Amino acid sequence: EDQVTQSPEALRLQEGESSSLNCSYTVSGLRGLFWYRQDPGKGPEFLFTLYSAGEEKEKERLKATLTKKESFLHITAPKPEDSATYLCAVQGQGGETSGSRLTFGEGTQLTVNP
Amino acid sequence: NAGVTQTPKFRVLKTGQSMTLLCAQDMNHEYMYWYRQDPGMGLRLIHYSVGEGTTAKGEVPDGYNVSRLKKQNFLLGLESAAPSQTSVYFCASGMGRTRGKLFFGSGTQLSVL
């Protein structure tokens, strides 16, 4: 059974204070690791896909990295508009035969104060 | 471009009542999913569909039924609602081959009293 654990559960930062969110995973044959952003009252919004250890993806102030056991979402000089819940998800070996289904972590709630 | 649209946005039911949640997508996606999101539990897959006329069980299917009669629509039914089904329900769609890039609706807040 695929499992995803995210830490910390909640993180408060001052504007400009860089930090990282962690996503640890257990999966039988990783096909992809995904990061989503969720704003209050809305559905998750896709950010990144990582496929193999050593891969990195960047978007504005966000950078996602992947190792064989975990992924990090690095936030550089965050702004208040970066406040959201960040979700990590994995797709295991079943792939398209199991509907390309994802297993999600519980998320990290990030608050960036001005 | 509407993307993924869910109706209704809010609903209150009494125990034992039935209802149907509707999800519509206009992106011609083959794959559609129903998730529920609960505090401390994260997003959990209820049912999914890999194409018109197909459905399959996810992680927490009990108490729910689904139908995919048209490619663009995915319906989630609760035949006899229970308080344990109080949750936020999200529909999502994807191409499958994009390997996890899903597009989510804005959710339905359901309370069962």
Side-chain angles (χ1 to χ4, degrees), chain B residues 37-92:
Chain B
Q37 188 173 40
D38 304 288
M41 301 292 288
L43 280 161
R44 292 181 293 167
L45 183 64
I46 305 171
H47 286 282
Y48 65 96
S49 169
V50 300
E52 182 178 315
T54 75
T55 63
K57 294 180 180 180
E59 181 184 354
V60 287
D62 294 343
Y64 305 95
N65 57 76
V66 289
S67 64
R68 183 103 181 265
L69 299 179
K70 293 183 178 180
K71 185 177 183 178
Q72 64 268 34
N73 295 337
F74 195 29
L75 278 63
L76 178 70
L78 286 72
E79 291 186 347
S80 180
S84 61
Q85 294 178 304
T86 294
S87 186
V88 181
Y89 291 85
F90 288 100
C91 176

Side-chain angles (χ1 to χ4, degrees), chain A residues 21-83:
Chain A
L21 312 182
N22 177 263
C23 170
S24 298
Y25 64 89
T26 303
V27 64
S28 176
L30 180 70
R31 290 176 63 85
L33 184 139
F34 310 88
W35 284 97
Y36 285 80
R37 169 189 170 129
Q38 186 174 21
D39 293 300
K42 296 187 177 181
E45 179 182 354
F46 173 82
L47 291 173
F48 303 111
T49 306
L50 301 167
Y51 294 111
S52 58
E55 189 174 359
E56 299 181 351
K57 293 278 180 71
E58 287 189 66
K59 180 181 180 180
E60 297 181 353
R61 295 175 292 281
L62 301 177
K63 179 180 178 180
T65 61
L66 181 65
T67 72
K68 289 186 177 181
K69 294 184 178 181
E70 57 192 350
S71 176
F72 292 94
L73 185 64
H74 307 277
I75 304 175
T76 302
K79 298 181 178 181
E81 53 261 42
D82 294 322
S83 296

Side-chain angles (χ1 to χ4, degrees), chain A residues 31 34 36 38 43 98-100 106, chain B residues 31 33 37 40 99-100 102 105:
Chain A
R31 290 176 63 85
F34 310 88
Y36 285 80
Q38 186 174 21
S98 62
S100 296
E106 295 179 28
Chain B
Y31 290 33
Y33 309 82
Q37 188 173 40
R99 305 177 75 181
L102 302 184

